[in-house]
Amino acid sequence: MLQRDYTTSQLDVLEAEAIHIMREVAAEFERPCLLFSGGKDSIVMLRIAEKAFWPAPIPFPLMHVDTGHNFDEVIEFRDRRTAELGARLIVASVQESIDQGRVVEQTGRRASRNRLQTTTLLDAIEAHEFDAVFGGARRDEEKARAKERVFSFRDDFGQWDPKNQRPELWNLYNSRIRKGEHIRVFPLSNWTELDVWDYIRREGIEIPSIYFAHTRKVFERDGMLLPDADVVQRGDDEPLFEAVVRYRTVGDMTCTGAVQSPATTVEEIIEEIAATRITERGATRADDRSSEAAMEDRKREGYF
């Protein structure tokens, strides 16, 4: 007699939850969008969006807040993947915000455009009248995100206030907002970095080559390996050297570090992550090596 296995895997449960969240947003909001940078979390979100609405096209645009200091490999992947899906991509430029006087660029060795993204993002949300914005944040990344709701309410200034967050009972979400307010939606809230990679392996999802081991010129700063690039200011006391590295997360080159790794396949990356005791952002993001209070301030400003 044929035996059938009806058990549901952890990935199946996480995927079903994320699909439910995306369909809920599409049904309840007028103008949602999905933040897509070409990084692994947004790539997984994009695959879930494909599944949620297949065979119809994804019913909302994609948006990337571009600092102008992104890795070439990631931007190339972003544009190619968007074209393959026939999706609409909105690029909100930090450089344009600087040119318009909306933000002031930092100077010095540790200058970064990463924090300037807040103004650019909020301006784009207002200009396009988005009332829901999908983000790829996960609760395992750091403490400020661990306390985040799936539906994160933002006021008409784009700010996050813990006292204004709504209770989320079971899988019931409160989508009511006034004009000018919006909701940040995090379908991957309950995922871990290992879950993301397991899903990439299971689904056979293509990701940028920068996530795999390669030889790159880097220099060390505060225990992190930063890339040799025109936009990254290096001091005389920070010598360049070649190393076999990969990136666990990608973002602005000025604050995203590489990790030394020989992993050239998804399977090897999964083995590596399963053994590590350092979070991806703690290991590779200079802007996240700050106090919990500082991260709370960034969230209140509307960055994530």
Side-chain angles (χ1 to χ4, degrees), residues 84-100:
E84 289 172 355
L85 291 174
R88 177 189 171 203
L89 175 66
I90 299 168
V91 178
S93 170
V94 172
Q95 183 62 54
E96 290 183 7
S97 296
I98 295 171
D99 294 342
Q100 294 167 5

Side-chain angles (χ1 to χ4, degrees), residues 87-131:
R88 177 189 171 203
L89 175 66
I90 299 168
V91 178
S93 170
V94 172
Q95 183 62 54
E96 290 183 7
S97 296
I98 295 171
D99 294 342
Q100 294 167 5
R102 294 283 294 143
V103 293
V104 177
E105 187 162 18
Q106 298 175 351
T107 59
R109 184 190 296 192
R110 297 177 184 272
S112 173
R113 290 184 174 183
N114 201 50
R115 192 156 187 165
L116 304 184
Q117 293 179 95
T118 300
T119 299
T120 306
L121 172 61
L122 295 179
D123 286 349
I125 290 173
E126 182 179 5
H128 295 280
E129 298 182 340
F130 292 132
D131 53 3

Side-chain angles (χ1 to χ4, degrees), residues 200-253:
I200 289 171
R201 174 176 61 179
R202 190 186 81 171
E203 299 291 309
I205 300 173
E206 181 186 2
I207 57 174
S209 60
I210 199 170
Y211 280 107
F212 300 105
H214 58 283
T215 301
R216 182 181 290 264
K217 287 185 177 181
V218 296
F219 65 93
E220 185 173 350
R221 176 183 294 167
D222 299 332
M224 292 175 51
L225 300 178
L226 296 178
D228 178 30
D230 293 339
V231 299
V232 183
Q233 297 189 36
R234 180 173 58 88
D236 295 334
D237 58 339
E238 297 173 324
L240 279 176
F241 60 93
E242 281 195 350
V244 177
V245 299
R246 73 175 191 85
Y247 285 85
R248 286 177 70 182
T249 185
V250 297
D252 191 295
M253 282 190 283

Side-chain angles (χ1 to χ4, degrees), residues 31-146:
R31 303 186 68 141
C33 79
L34 186 149
L35 295 178
F36 180 66
S37 64
K40 68 180 187 309
D41 297 313
S42 63
I43 292 171
V44 167
M45 271 206 308
L46 194 60
R47 170 56 63 89
I48 290 170
E50 287 184 80
K51 286 192 169 187
F53 304 106
W54 181 264
I58 297 173
F60 38 75
L62 315 181
M63 182 166 69
H64 181 212
V65 181
D66 187 359
T67 65
H69 294 170
N70 298 99
F71 292 94
D72 292 338
E73 299 94 326
V74 179
I75 295 300
E76 183 277 330
F77 180 90
R78 178 202 72 183
D79 294 340
R80 176 165 54 82
R81 187 72 184 109
T82 303
E84 289 172 355
L85 291 174
R88 177 189 171 203
L89 175 66
I90 299 168
V91 178
S93 170
V94 172
Q95 183 62 54
E96 290 183 7
S97 296
I98 295 171
D99 294 342
Q100 294 167 5
R102 294 283 294 143
V103 293
V104 177
E105 187 162 18
Q106 298 175 351
T107 59
R109 184 190 296 192
R110 297 177 184 272
S112 173
R113 290 184 174 183
N114 201 50
R115 192 156 187 165
L116 304 184
Q117 293 179 95
T118 300
T119 299
T120 306
L121 172 61
L122 295 179
D123 286 349
I125 290 173
E126 182 179 5
H128 295 280
E129 298 182 340
F130 292 132
D131 53 3
V133 179
F134 288 107
R138 307 188 316 270
R139 288 173 176 153
D140 75 318
E141 292 180 285
E142 44 84 21
K143 292 180 180 179
R145 297 188 179 191

